Amino acid sequence: MKNEGIIFNIQKFSIHDGPGIRTTVFFKGCPLKCKWCSNPESQLESIQILYNQSKCSRCKICIDTCKQNAISLIDNKIIINDKKCLGCLECMSNCPNDALKNEGEYKKTEDILDICLQDKDFYEESNGGVTISGGEGMSQPEFLKELVSALKKENIHVAIETTGYIDHELFKELSALFDLILFDVKHHDNNKHFEGTGVYNDLIIKNLKWSVKNDLNVLTRIPVIPGFNDSLEDAIKITDLLKYVRATNVQLLPFHQFGEKKYDMLNKIYTLKDLKALYPEDLKDYQEAFISKNINCFF
């Protein structure tokens, strides 16, 4: 067992990541590269430095500080090479304008458990608990097992948000640990799935089908993205997919732009910046496609 993992956020009083009041623990690392990802800082399983251009005076202290030569000034903008950066945080510590901040830090199981236990009374009163998120919640399997074991010893309800893109045997081992699996379904078509996420969906469907067949508590969730999977035809075909795996509940997650600013801070190109956010009222017909096939569909 591994009692330390890399985490990029712990969010208390969450109400959208499972039932009741919850604490959501965000693991760093994800095998998918979704174009609409609202947590792009979660994708790389290492400490990253975010750069706020509006605070930067171009003093170059960070460049002089970095012993790995991972920082440069290009077109009047600080660029950080993630492949060279070791996450020592010296550049951030020496920045006089707080233009740099880190995403991700190593935390021990007991430290995370202590934070989660602070709100145990709220979990018990609301039938809530702790949700493992990301990134991909299964991206650090040994640490995940250690943390879930510690939470279970405290009789805490534990859920996980997963892409489902996990080695099948490992998925079977890990998924059995949880009281609830929030399982993302992003597209019905294998090639379109690859275009939007960087991976094919064969393994995802295999894992989803297995989890439903084995009576795990699974809630499928669909991020509805304009131009990717938001047509009525997409809704109908995703409904067919869910009927095939025998899933009976689905939650729709309308597209939003909450993570847009992070792309600039990570020096990443965000290709969906001109898309308008979706709201439940925009997706009533989409929702009805599931309800008409006897699938419980909600927002």
Side-chain angles (χ1 to χ4, degrees), residues 62-63 66 68-73 78-81 91 100:
C62 58
I63 296 175
C66 182
Q68 303 301 317
N69 296 316
I71 306 176
S72 54
L73 184 66
I78 291 294
I79 304 297
I80 299 166
N81 187 329
C91 59
L100 302 174

Side-chain angles (χ1 to χ4, degrees), residues 108-296:
K108 293 185 180 298
T109 300
E110 53 265 33
D111 295 331
I112 298 173
L113 180 63
D114 286 345
I115 294 172
C116 294
L117 287 175
Q118 292 170 6
D119 295 325
K120 190 175 181 181
D121 289 346
F122 293 109
Y123 309 153
E124 293 174 350
E125 292 174 8
S126 67
N127 293 318
V130 173
T131 298
I132 308 298
S133 186
E136 166 54 58
M138 297 186 183
S139 62
Q140 302 174 57
E142 294 305 315
F143 174 59
L144 178 66
K145 287 186 282 188
E146 176 78 10
L147 178 59
V148 174
S149 176
L151 291 166
K152 286 294 187 180
K153 287 177 182 176
E154 299 292 339
N155 296 314
I156 294 175
H157 180 282
V158 186
I160 189 167
E161 295 182 332
T162 181
T163 64
Y165 193 77
I166 308 295
D167 173 81
H168 185 58
E169 293 304 316
L170 181 59
F171 178 83
K172 290 196 293 184
E173 177 187 358
L174 296 177
S175 60
L177 302 174
F178 295 95
D179 301 297
L180 171 64
I181 301 173
L182 304 170
F183 199 118
D184 278 6
V185 174
K186 303 180 194 298
H187 212 285
H188 56 87
D189 182 82
N190 204 15
N191 291 321
K192 286 288 289 184
H193 195 282
F194 183 85
E195 289 177 21
T197 69
V199 304
Y200 294 104
N201 67 359
D202 312 71
L203 179 60
I204 294 169
I205 294 171
K206 181 178 181 178
N207 285 335
L208 177 59
K209 185 177 182 181
W210 180 88
S211 61
V212 174
K213 181 180 178 181
N214 285 273
D215 296 321
L216 300 184
N217 186 14
V218 180
L219 172 60
T220 54
R221 305 200 303 177
I222 303 169
V224 185
I225 313 300
F228 176 69
N229 64 358
D230 67 327
S231 71
L232 282 180
E233 180 183 1
D234 288 323
I236 292 168
K237 290 186 176 180
I238 295 174
T239 300
D240 292 339
L241 170 59
L242 297 187
K243 297 293 282 188
Y244 164 70
V245 301
R246 299 188 176 181
T248 56
N249 295 290
V250 62
Q251 181 180 14
L252 302 181
L253 306 175
F255 172 73
H256 59 73
Q257 293 284 18
F258 297 157
E260 181 178 358
K261 185 178 179 181
K262 297 176 184 178
Y263 285 83
D264 283 337
M265 298 180 73
L266 287 167
N267 195 38
K268 289 177 176 281
I269 297 174
Y270 181 51
T271 59
L272 306 187
K273 64 180 181 179
D274 295 325
L275 293 184
K276 292 183 178 180
L278 294 176
Y279 299 92
E281 54 266 30
D282 300 320
L283 297 172
K284 290 302 182 184
D285 291 340
Y286 196 98
Q287 179 186 27
E288 183 58 33
F290 295 88
I291 295 173
S292 67
K293 295 292 183 68
N294 296 318
I295 294 176
N296 179 36

Side-chain angles (χ1 to χ4, degrees), residues 79-93:
I79 304 297
I80 299 166
N81 187 329
D82 290 330
K83 293 180 180 179
K84 290 184 177 182
C85 177
L86 298 181
C88 69
L89 307 185
E90 286 190 28
C91 59
M92 186 183 77
S93 299

